[in-house]
Amino acid sequence: MRSHPARGFRSIWTVAEKNIKIYYAKPPVIIFGLMFPLFLFLAFYLGRDVDLFVFFPGIVAMCIFFTSSSVGPLVTPWEKSTGTYERLLSFPVTVNIILLGDVVAGMLFGLGLSAVLMVPGVLLIGYRPHIAVLVLASITASFCFSSLGVLLASPSTKNPSNIMMLSSMVRFPLIFISGIFAPLEQLPLGARILSYFSPITYMVDLLQFSLRNAHTMHPALCFLALALFSMGFLWLAGRLHKRNLLKGL
């Protein structure tokens, strides 16, 4: 009995390692995970009177969101299109193990690439960050956003472009209602209510707290919200992936 948890962790890591080797260099991951956040930042920053000290936490949150949620939507439809999904299902692992492996791969991708932006930015801008909160917030949010990416891969299709289109339709609205481009306290009441339905809102607030010691909500509430979003995304992803298990093959 004691070996089961260790075997489960090894299986999760095996799936994650497979995804890392195969999918990290795919064009959709590079475009939607790296290039789009960069160009969106430049569009809102260049030529405008924006305080980078205030704006930078939102950019980091957007980078973590896009990078962490870029791998998950790609994996399942790509494997169905190449015919390797059936072989994966034949292994002695559960669907939940496969999904967690996909989530871990997306989380590591998000953490690694966001660190490339975050670490130099924190040093150059001159923040005095709460390191523990910053690291824990990054890990929690990356896991949450990666879980959303895996959920978006649940429709029964073997065409990755269909999933990427669905992913864009979900992720883009979340960006614009999350307080990245305007502080929550400056949003109208209706927009502020909507912002609480976006997990990115809580990540932005945690980054504002850990970097600037400024926040709208209590950090514990933000961590709780991200945890609840993660559990909801994973539960729904498991239900939908199991229902569509053999569809689209």
Side-chain angles (χ1 to χ4, degrees):
M1 294 296 290
R2 293 181 180 178
S3 63
H4 289 337
R7 187 161 59 243
F9 286 124
R10 285 198 300 269
S11 300
I12 292 172
W13 175 248
T14 299
V15 174
E17 187 178 21
K18 179 264 299 179
N19 293 340
I20 290 171
K21 292 179 179 179
I22 297 176
Y23 298 107
Y24 274 17
K26 294 294 185 182
V29 175
I30 295 174
I31 292 173
F32 287 95
L34 290 176
M35 296 181 65
F36 182 81
L38 173 62
F39 290 134
L40 192 60
F41 162 69
L42 294 176
F44 277 86
Y45 180 72
L46 293 180
R48 307 181 71 177
D49 186 18
V50 176
D51 186 355
L52 188 59
F53 187 83
V54 177
F55 194 49
F56 183 73
I59 296 304
V60 173
M62 183 172 62
C63 179
I64 294 176
F65 175 67
F66 274 104
T67 53
S68 299
S69 61
S70 290
V71 177
L74 179 67
V75 174
T76 301
W78 204 290
E79 289 187 336
K80 286 184 178 181
S81 67
T82 57
T84 59
Y85 192 64
E86 304 97 314
R87 185 170 59 184
L88 184 62
L89 293 176
S90 68
F91 293 159
V93 293
T94 64
V95 173
N96 289 336
I97 291 291
I98 296 173
L99 295 181
L100 284 173
D102 295 344
V103 170
V104 170
M107 180 184 72
L108 293 177
F109 183 65
L111 288 173
L113 290 182
S114 61
V116 175
L117 170 67
M118 185 188 305
V119 174
V122 169
L123 295 176
L124 292 174
I125 296 175
Y127 292 110
R128 295 183 178 179
H130 300 281
I131 298 297
V133 177
L134 182 61
V135 172
L136 184 59
S138 299
I139 294 173
T140 306
S142 295
F143 186 89
C144 177
F145 301 153
S146 183
S147 301
L148 173 62
V150 170
L151 171 60
L152 294 173
S154 59
S156 56
T157 178
K158 61 174 61 177
N159 190 346
S161 62
N162 292 340
I163 298 297
M164 296 313 295
M165 182 170 59
L166 171 65
S167 174
S168 299
M169 293 173 62
V170 172
R171 292 191 297 174
F172 289 172
L174 291 179
I175 284 290
F176 292 105
I177 66 171
S178 59
I180 289 179
F181 304 110
L184 288 181
E185 57 270 15
Q186 296 181 9
L187 294 176
L189 179 60
R192 186 166 182 174
I193 293 174
L194 281 177
S195 70
Y196 295 132
F197 292 93
S198 169
I200 316 172
T201 299
Y202 305 96
M203 177 55 176
V204 173
D205 210 53
L206 284 172
L207 287 175
Q208 293 286 2
F209 171 75
S210 60
L211 294 178
R212 300 178 48 236
N213 199 29
H215 57 93
T216 303
M217 296 171 283
H218 194 281
L221 176 61
C222 294
F223 279 115
L224 176 62
L226 288 173
L228 291 175
F229 272 112
S230 298
M231 290 188 291
F233 292 151
L234 283 175
W235 177 81
L236 190 55
R239 291 288 300 270
L240 294 177
H241 275 274
K242 290 174 184 176
R243 190 184 68 180
N244 299 328
L245 195 62
L246 299 178
K247 295 180 180 179
L249 296 179

